Amino acid sequence: MPEADSRHHDREMLEQLAALDANSPEREALRAALIERHLPLVHFLARKFMDRGEPLDDLVQVGTIGLIKSIDRFDPSMGFEFSTFATPTIVGEIKRHFRDKTWAIRIPRRLQELGVQVSKAREELTHALDRSPTPAEISKKLDIDVSEVIEAIEANSAYNTVSIDGGNAEDSPSLGDTLGAWDDALDNVEYRESLKPLIAAMDEREQTILLRRFFDNKSQSEIAAELGISQMHVSRILNKTLTQLREALSS
Amino acid sequence: MATIHISVPAQAEYVGLVRSTSAHVAAQCDLTMDQIEDLRLAVNEAFAFLVDPTSDSNIDITFVVDGSTLSITLKSSHTAQEPDRNSFGWTVLSALVNEVASSRNEHGRIIIELTAMAGVSA
């Protein structure tokens, strides 16, 4: 079917669906057919979030929930193309999945909350002291035990990092373009050639953090300030990228 | 001065235990949060050099807290390869702690020693 006809057919189906009574027996079949017809859109969008630590199947599954919601909510009288309407909803479901499901280990709520408090105190103290605080300083500020401060760091790093707003491998500039300035520093690294494609496959923010930390020798706090994100976020990204590199280089 | 010893199988799944212990011990010697985070990454890298999935040997780790200095010694109990100074892992390790050294002792064991000092950035 030519594309224009296909779109026209979609529109007819959607108009029929909107006109049908919620309990109508035809409704189920029509809805199922519409879902089926738009699964390629879900696959297309889910693939954009690949390589962020979640299986593609799971992303397709949550994306499909977004598609179903879109079909149920679509109002043909608004005059939008269905795909224009559905895309943000599908992407929204996928992003929500990353937000909700990516604690690699289930962290008790108490520790999650402690993590947030410690993170906040850490940022405030970093600002006040103009250096990274010690666990003792944080424990004093929050009136908690030093070991709880450490537990909070531990709990935070169990979070499986995914950067939702980063680019993907296709969109990111190739590292060949950005690496020039660091070539001297990298010269002595034997793995340089095998490292390059691995770093190039990371998103731009991961690349920046890795290079700032290890080739510009910036502290995590300095990088956090430069990128306008929390130090905890920098820490997670470093943890994740180093693990990825180590695994890729040793395999 | 306080000394803590732990010994764990030379398997990747034990790295969390070692990393966690490092962070708790580091809190005893006034290291900053940034330094502790770096130390955890460094311990990860050092442990990764000594992991041997094919062996049933252990890695012995000794933490020594001496005032504001923390030394961590990781010793493989098998004849592992000495870490390559030009490898990426070593570059990372060197950037994360104040001092890092590796050697082979008279029994052929590989020893990696990391030192972090309070008030001195890596």
Side-chain angles (χ1 to χ4, degrees), chain A residues 148-165:
Chain A
E148 287 182 289
V149 177
I150 302 299
E151 278 174 38
I153 305 181
E154 297 283 314
N156 264 303
S157 65
Y159 181 87
N160 179 10
T161 321
V162 279
S163 68
I164 297 298
D165 37 11

Side-chain angles (χ1 to χ4, degrees), chain A residues 132-133 154 157 213 221 235, chain B residues 20 33-34 37-38 40 86:
Chain A
S132 170
E154 297 283 314
S157 65
R213 183 67 194 87
S221 302
S235 160
Chain B
S20 210
M33 296 289 275
D34 276 7
E37 297 268 11
D38 282 351
R40 293 173 73 245
N86 293 322

Side-chain angles (χ1 to χ4, degrees), chain A residues 1-13 37:
Chain A
M1 197 178 335
E3 203 187 318
D5 285 0
S6 166
R7 271 211 301 273
H8 184 69
H9 190 57
D10 272 352
R11 176 150 286 272
E12 278 181 355
M13 287 171 77
R37 284 173 70 85

Side-chain angles (χ1 to χ4, degrees), chain B residues 40-101:
Chain B
R40 293 173 73 245
L41 292 174
V43 167
N44 239 348
E45 294 300 326
F47 194 83
F49 275 120
L50 304 180
V51 160
D52 183 359
T54 63
S55 113
D56 56 2
S57 63
N58 269 35
I59 296 173
D60 299 325
I61 302 117
T62 304
F63 302 89
V64 178
V65 180
D66 189 359
S68 57
T69 301
L70 168 63
S71 308
I72 305 177
T73 308
L74 299 97
K75 184 166 71 179
S76 69
S77 63
H78 59 96
T79 48
Q81 289 275 310
E82 201 163 336
D84 183 345
R85 295 293 195 283
N86 293 322
S87 65
F88 179 69
W90 193 265
T91 306
V92 167
L93 199 50
S94 315
L96 291 172
V97 286
N98 296 111
E99 281 168 28
V100 56

Side-chain angles (χ1 to χ4, degrees), chain A residues 138-229:
Chain A
I138 292 174
S139 76
K140 205 169 149 194
K141 184 177 170 74
L142 295 176
D143 196 20
I144 57 174
D145 204 75
V146 172
S147 65
E148 287 182 289
V149 177
I150 302 299
E151 278 174 38
I153 305 181
E154 297 283 314
N156 264 303
S157 65
Y159 181 87
N160 179 10
T161 321
V162 279
S163 68
I164 297 298
D165 37 11
N168 61 28
E170 284 164 46
D171 298 341
S172 315
S174 87
L175 199 68
D177 301 336
T178 57
L179 204 57
W182 288 289
D183 267 10
D184 282 351
L186 279 169
D187 254 350
N188 296 324
V189 179
E190 178 203 31
Y191 292 133
R192 185 170 65 143
E193 287 312 311
S194 45
L195 205 55
K196 258 188 178 176
L198 297 173
I199 296 179
M202 293 176 176
D203 71 42
E204 202 181 336
R205 178 182 285 181
E206 290 170 350
Q207 292 175 5
T208 306
I209 292 174
L210 203 64
L211 294 170
R212 286 280 183 280
R213 183 67 194 87
F214 295 112
F215 299 103
D216 292 346
N217 211 17
K218 298 268 190 240
S219 76
Q220 292 190 9
S221 302
E222 284 168 335
I223 299 167
E226 181 188 325
L227 299 181
I229 59 179

Side-chain angles (χ1 to χ4, degrees), chain A residues 83-149:
Chain A
S83 60
T84 312
F85 175 81
T87 298
T89 312
I90 295 168
V91 169
E93 284 298 323
I94 294 172
K95 285 188 175 179
R96 187 203 303 275
H97 172 76
F98 276 103
R99 255 200 324 272
D100 294 349
K101 301 288 170 63
T102 50
W103 289 90
I105 300 169
R106 229 191 72 75
I107 301 297
R109 180 161 291 278
R110 179 190 73 81
L111 264 184
Q112 287 188 29
E113 281 162 6
L114 190 65
V116 172
Q117 277 181 28
V118 165
S119 203
K120 199 164 154 259
R122 182 174 177 173
E123 269 165 36
E124 284 168 11
L125 283 169
T126 300
H127 195 72
L129 302 167
D130 204 21
R131 62 164 169 81
S132 170
T134 65
E137 287 162 343
I138 292 174
S139 76
K140 205 169 149 194
K141 184 177 170 74
L142 295 176
D143 196 20
I144 57 174
D145 204 75
V146 172
S147 65
E148 287 182 289
V149 177

